[in-house]
Amino acid sequence: MRTLLAPSPALIDPPDVLLLESADALAVELAASFLAEESARGGAAAARYLESDPREYETWLGGALIGVRGADGSPAAGGGFRRYDNTTAELAQLWTRPELRRNGLARRVLRHLEPLARRAGYSRLYAVAEPGHETLRLALRACGYEPLGQPGLEYLGFVKAL
């Protein structure tokens, strides 16, 4: 696996989509928004995020984190991936501001993360949709991710070959 040191302008081109490092202001805002929503929902994702090291998403460790800014400059959506194993990256922190959902932002985030993962040397992406994340399940399916189990499972994994 090779790590991504700098994005190609062709991979991250629109000015409202930014490749981030964990300490960037937009990354911190995205993480805070993600945590607030997950904590209110009682989701396990918040607890796992607090136990993880945000630097796992740094490009030099084989990860990536992107953010999409809204028209006012505030976080609109974002997500990242981190190394799962030599061939697989795990998608995480996929989040869209609630009032902006159902506008294609999650698909847009995935469309930017996938070539970054491919460029980092991964051949597939993996994600887990937790209870209460039906919109994430729909977005993953719409982007070609295959479920790893029955749709009724509380925690449903998805995978996509790159």
Side-chain angles (χ1 to χ4, degrees):
M1 180 187 74
R2 54 193 169 122
T3 58
L4 176 64
L5 297 178
S8 161
L11 293 176
I12 300 290
D13 190 47
D16 62 334
V17 179
L18 303 169
L19 182 66
L20 306 170
E21 296 296 341
S22 61
D24 291 342
L26 184 60
V28 172
E29 286 183 72
L30 281 166
S33 300
F34 170 81
L35 277 171
E37 186 172 341
E38 286 299 312
S39 296
R41 186 185 299 206
R48 275 200 306 283
Y49 176 80
L50 290 171
E51 293 170 358
S52 69
D53 185 343
R55 293 175 296 178
E56 292 176 330
Y57 300 93
E58 302 286 340
T59 54
W60 64 277
L61 288 172
L65 184 63
I66 66 166
V68 178
R69 282 192 296 216
D72 63 356
S74 67
F81 63 82
R82 59 185 170 195
R83 183 182 187 278
Y84 182 79
D85 64 28
N86 286 336
T87 61
T88 307
E90 177 188 12
L91 290 168
Q93 296 186 46
L94 298 170
W95 177 82
T96 301
R97 201 162 70 207
E99 67 273 17
L100 298 176
R101 291 185 181 145
R102 313 268 327 144
N103 287 304
L105 286 172
R107 286 185 224 156
R108 188 171 177 207
V109 167
L110 290 169
R111 278 196 312 268
H112 284 283
L113 288 173
E114 290 169 0
L116 291 172
R118 209 174 13 258
R119 187 165 179 219
Y122 298 109
S123 59
R124 64 187 198 149
L125 283 169
Y126 168 74
V128 174
E130 299 178 342
H133 289 271
E134 189 57 36
T135 54
L136 175 60
R137 292 175 186 217
L138 293 171
L140 290 168
R141 283 192 184 111
C143 290
Y145 289 77
E146 295 293 325
L148 299 171
Q150 299 302 317
L153 292 173
E154 274 190 275
Y155 292 86
L156 183 60
F158 289 84
V159 69
K160 180 178 183 177
L162 297 176

